[in-house]
Each structure stands twice: as structure tokens, then as C-alpha cells.
Amino acid sequence: MGLDEIRQKIDAIDTQMKELFLARMDLSAQVIAVKKENGGAVYVPEREKEVIENRSAQVETEKLPEYQMFVRQVMAISRTYQYAQIADMAEELAVLPDGNGSIIIEASDEQGETQFYTMLDAAALADLSIEDISVTEQGENGTHYRYRVSGDFSRDLAKGAVLQMIKEMKKVQILPK
């Protein structure tokens, strides 16, 4: 099979994945609508772990880490979207600038670097910049992060990304810049 034919097959798969992704996001909107009514948390680590384990059961060992990362990324994108849908109800976001500006976030993460990378991805998705990152290892208490988040905070997706940072990290403090 030649390169052009391989690329055509990849394009076809990408088209299918696009349709499935959009369908998944529609369902994600339904999930957050139910959670708004019932007060359920967007991020439920136990459920996420269970989903990843179940979906990974039949995946070849050599592709398992990549597949698990793919599932984690899709779920993280879905959570950012869900947080954006409830950002208007979040009192924690009162410290955000009305438009363009910066905030400082101090947070701890007991799960290692994985959750912090999710926060970086959420910021990128929302077109926010993360700068001036400092990392301090705290042994049993996990890792402590301090970073500046800049951008246009008037958009729901940006608010959702910050809400995700607040809800999914531990001991979060937001300081106006």
C-alpha cells in the first residue's frame, strides 16, 4: 500500500471519528444537564478509572498506553466542555477578570503530573496561556504548582477551563494578578 492510499484510509477514519466525537459531545451536554439538576460532580475519578480500564481490556499491549491516553484526552475535553456549561453558576469564578487579564493559581496535585497536564490541555483548548510555572515536590502531599493564567476570561470555555483547574486539583487558591 502506498503513502497516498494510507493517507486516504486515515482521512476516512478521521471522518468517522469526527462524527463519533460530535455525537459523544452531544451526549456530554445531556450528562451535564442531568448533573445540573441533580448536583452531580463533573469529575468523578473512580468512574473515569473504571471507564479507562473497561475500554482498555481488549487493546494490544503495545498500543495500550497510547489508547489509554486517547481515552483520557477525550474524557478531559468532555469535562472542559461540561465545566463551561456550568461556569455561570460557579461562585469560585468571581475573581476572574471580566475580559482579558491574568490570574495566579496555586494548587496541589496528589496524582502526580497527569492532572496538571490535563490542566494545561484545558487551558490550550480555551485559548488561555499558562506562564511562570513553578513546581515544588511536597512528598506525601503531592506536588505544588503555581502558575499564571492569561487570556480572555469572558468566554464560557475559558471560564470552564479555570473551573476545571479549581475542581480537579487539590487545595486551589486563585489570586488576582
Side-chain angles (χ1 to χ4, degrees):
M1 187 178 331
L3 187 57
D4 287 339
E5 189 177 349
I6 294 169
R7 286 181 174 160
Q8 287 175 354
K9 289 183 182 228
I10 289 172
D11 290 346
I13 290 170
D14 286 348
T15 298
Q16 292 173 2
M17 287 175 56
K18 173 185 167 186
E19 292 168 9
L20 292 171
F21 176 79
L22 293 174
R24 190 183 195 290
M25 293 302 285
D26 289 343
L27 292 170
S28 187
Q30 292 177 35
V31 165
I32 197 59
V34 171
K35 287 181 177 182
K36 271 183 172 179
E37 289 178 20
N38 300 337
V42 171
Y43 183 52
V44 182
E46 302 80 27
R47 163 83 176 134
E48 192 158 310
K49 182 180 177 187
E50 177 185 319
V51 168
I52 292 168
E53 287 175 4
N54 290 341
R55 303 279 194 293
S56 301
Q58 303 298 319
V59 176
E60 303 168 27
T61 303
E62 65 199 34
K63 296 176 186 163
L64 185 60
E66 292 86 353
Y67 178 74
Q68 289 175 334
M69 181 58 72
F70 172 74
V71 174
R72 276 190 200 96
Q73 288 289 81
V74 170
M75 293 175 82
I77 290 166
S78 178
R79 290 194 319 271
T80 305
Y81 174 76
Q82 289 182 34
Y83 283 119
Q85 304 306 306
I86 61 170
D88 60 331
M89 301 176 354
E91 296 172 11
E92 303 98 325
L93 300 179
V95 298
L96 292 182
D98 290 333
N100 285 316
S102 296
I103 57 171
I104 302 292
I105 294 183
E106 292 185 355
S108 294
D109 181 7
E110 297 169 357
Q111 300 176 33
E113 297 173 349
T114 305
Q115 205 59 30
F116 182 69
Y117 291 136
T118 299
M119 300 308 109
L120 293 176
D121 288 342
L125 179 64
D127 201 26
L128 297 173
S129 297
I130 294 187
E131 303 155 335
D132 303 330
I133 301 170
S134 66
V135 181
T136 308
E137 297 292 331
Q138 293 187 289
E140 294 176 11
N141 295 326
T143 305
H144 181 77
Y145 300 93
R146 180 183 169 94
Y147 51 96
R148 182 165 46 101
V149 181
S150 302
D152 181 359
F153 293 99
S154 66
R155 298 172 299 111
D156 286 342
L157 192 56
K159 292 174 186 174
V162 173
L163 187 57
Q164 186 170 10
M165 293 175 198
I166 293 169
K167 297 291 189 181
E168 296 185 15
M169 299 287 277
K170 305 290 183 216
K171 303 174 188 168
V172 176
Q173 181 178 7
I174 298 179
L175 308 168
K177 175 76 172 109

